[in-house]
Amino acid sequence: FSRLAVREAGRRHDARGLAEALELQSLLVTGPRALDLVDEAGTLWRSTANAVGIATNQTLRARAGNDTVQEQAARRRLRALGVRDDATRIAGPLQALGTADRARVSIRTLGAFAVLCEGEPVPASAWQSRKSRDALKILAGKRGRPLTRDALADHLWPDSDGSGNRLSVVLSTLRSVLDPRKEHPSDHFLVADRESVRLDNDHVEIDAVVFTQTATSALRALRSGERGRPGELGVVEELERAAAMYTGHYLEDDPYSDFTVEVRDELLTLSLEVKRELALALIARGEKQRAIPWLVGLIADDPYDEPSHHHLITTLHEARRHGEARRAYRAYAQRMKEIGTPADPVEQLLPSARTTP
């Protein structure tokens, strides 16, 4: 029936119908042939500028390529478009795919710390002690990499000897928090042996991990000149998606804890790099109005980023937002004065300016 549908849609020059038929046919085969069919359908969806069709196609391609990060991202785009991809009576390829295998445990570290089990926040009463929360924060910062028991104990009880038993109690509490009904083996979420402890990224979703993967993938595609496969988002849109994932600085509710500083700096640096490249790419595409908020955000996170100040001033000027451009110049001059660096003259940044602000 799927082949008949493909032939009939092709005979009627029905791009949308042909794309749907190709996607359904892709679900009946495996391997490279399935990907070819999905990519062919993706080309058709892009030609029709159908946002729902494009996002559905991205979901199919991610599933065919066993890319859970991309599948979750595509499903988020569908939900943003109003499509209930988890509805029981949804039609088309999404019905055949079923719901995504989402991690039962999600840890939010960008902004305020939160832990969700099956989508519900873990109540404060479940933790029993602050040390249990701190241990999970420390392990989340390792992002799936192992941490020695001694190092974890030193973070939790600095300058204290003989903390082995206390650490065992904390780990037992964590297992109860992550799996209160004991539905999984003890090492399903939290893997521990006699030497080290780590979270299992296959079963625990950490937003910092998802952001890092998405950001590095988008930056790699930008620098390699990749345009993306048919049916996928362009590099600029991937950068925009990565930038939007950075919803706050790492563990903002623990700004002075020693275990947060290095990770916070690393993630902030990556976020600034993504926003900078995104703003420049939007400017290059002539989309100055879309670039301006990202430049403003860059300067908010790093007030002494002189190149971003320059780009914001000139972009506002070229967008004919002259008053804002002059205010942006005054802010730039003030920031440079604070660090003893001379600001470039306004005439150099805005050749048409006749007077300084």
Side-chain angles (χ1 to χ4, degrees):
F1 288 109
S2 63
R3 292 178 181 175
L4 179 61
V6 168
R7 287 198 300 271
E8 181 61 20
R11 185 184 65 80
R12 293 188 285 110
H13 303 289
D14 177 4
R16 177 172 176 170
L18 180 57
E20 291 175 341
L22 288 168
E23 288 173 343
L24 289 171
Q25 188 174 345
S26 74
L27 296 170
L28 302 175
V29 296
T30 59
R33 176 57 180 159
L35 290 175
D36 288 344
L37 291 167
V38 172
D39 287 347
E40 187 178 349
T43 301
L44 292 167
W45 284 123
R46 291 175 70 88
S47 72
T48 64
N50 186 303
V52 172
I54 292 171
T56 300
N57 184 265
Q58 291 164 352
T59 305
L60 284 167
R61 197 180 206 293
R63 178 66 68 88
N66 197 30
D67 189 334
T68 56
V69 172
Q70 290 296 332
E71 181 175 348
Q72 289 172 359
R75 288 179 181 271
R76 282 194 295 270
R77 286 192 285 273
L78 280 168
R79 290 192 287 274
L81 293 167
V83 177
R84 288 287 310 278
D85 60 316
D86 57 348
T88 57
R89 296 181 181 274
I90 191 168
L94 292 176
Q95 171 66 31
L97 284 184
T99 58
D101 293 330
R102 298 171 186 164
R104 181 182 177 276
V105 173
S106 298
I107 301 177
R108 300 291 172 253
T109 62
L110 297 176
F113 178 74
V115 180
L116 292 83
C117 289
E118 297 182 345
E120 295 296 326
V122 172
S125 60
W127 293 100
Q128 299 183 27
S129 75
R130 181 174 177 176
K131 294 299 182 182
S132 301
R133 283 172 56 89
D134 287 346
L136 190 57
K137 290 178 181 180
I138 295 166
L139 293 171
K142 297 301 291 184
R143 289 162 286 176
R145 299 188 299 272
L147 180 66
T148 66
R149 282 178 172 262
D150 288 342
L152 180 55
D154 286 343
H155 279 302
L156 295 173
W157 300 282
D159 304 321
S160 176
D161 296 328
S163 55
N165 290 336
R166 285 185 290 178
L167 181 59
S168 296
V169 172
V170 164
L171 297 180
S172 177
T173 301
L174 274 184
R175 289 192 170 99
S176 297
V177 169
L178 302 178
D179 188 15
R181 294 190 293 271
K182 302 187 185 311
E183 296 175 338
H184 302 282
S186 62
D187 62 351
H188 187 76
F189 300 113
L190 184 66
V191 181
D193 55 31
R194 297 180 64 180
E195 300 296 329
S196 64
V197 186
R198 67 178 176 87
L199 291 171
D200 189 336
N201 282 352
D202 288 337
H203 303 130
V204 179
E205 180 187 82
I206 305 172
D207 59 351
V209 172
V210 178
F211 163 69
T212 301
Q213 292 173 339
T214 305
T216 54
S217 176
L219 290 169
R220 190 185 310 115
L222 176 73
R223 287 159 187 165
S224 65
E226 294 178 11
R227 294 183 176 273
R229 303 180 184 90
E232 290 185 346
L233 291 182
V235 172
V236 170
E237 287 72 23
E238 287 293 342
L239 286 168
E240 202 163 29
R241 183 165 67 88
M245 287 182 176
Y246 191 82
T247 54
H249 299 320
Y250 179 75
L251 292 180
E252 288 181 343
D253 46 359
D254 274 304
Y256 307 113
S257 297
D258 59 350
F259 59 83
T260 67
V261 175
E262 183 178 346
V263 181
R264 181 182 294 120
D265 289 346
E266 177 189 337
L267 294 174
L268 175 58
T269 298
L270 181 58
S271 170
L272 293 174
E273 187 177 6
V274 167
K275 291 176 183 177
R276 188 176 295 112
E277 294 292 355
L278 171 59
L280 294 176
L282 289 169
I283 291 170
R285 286 204 323 196
E287 299 185 50
K288 297 179 175 60
Q289 299 290 358
R290 287 181 64 194
I292 289 169
W294 294 114
L295 291 169
V296 171
L298 270 169
I299 294 168
D301 284 337
D302 185 358
Y304 306 107
D305 181 352
E306 188 171 15
S308 292
H309 277 288
H310 288 183
H311 287 304
L312 176 61
I313 294 163
T314 56
T315 303
L316 285 167
H317 181 70
E318 291 167 359
R320 306 186 67 81
R321 294 163 62 169
H322 303 303
E324 292 177 75
R326 288 178 175 275
R327 289 192 291 275
Y329 180 83
R330 285 196 292 269
Y332 154 63
Q334 178 61 33
R335 297 291 85 76
M336 295 302 101
K337 182 179 179 180
E338 291 172 359
I339 59 175
T341 299
D344 290 339
V346 66
E347 295 84 357
Q348 180 177 326
L349 298 176
L350 308 177
S352 61
R354 296 182 180 179
T355 59
T356 57

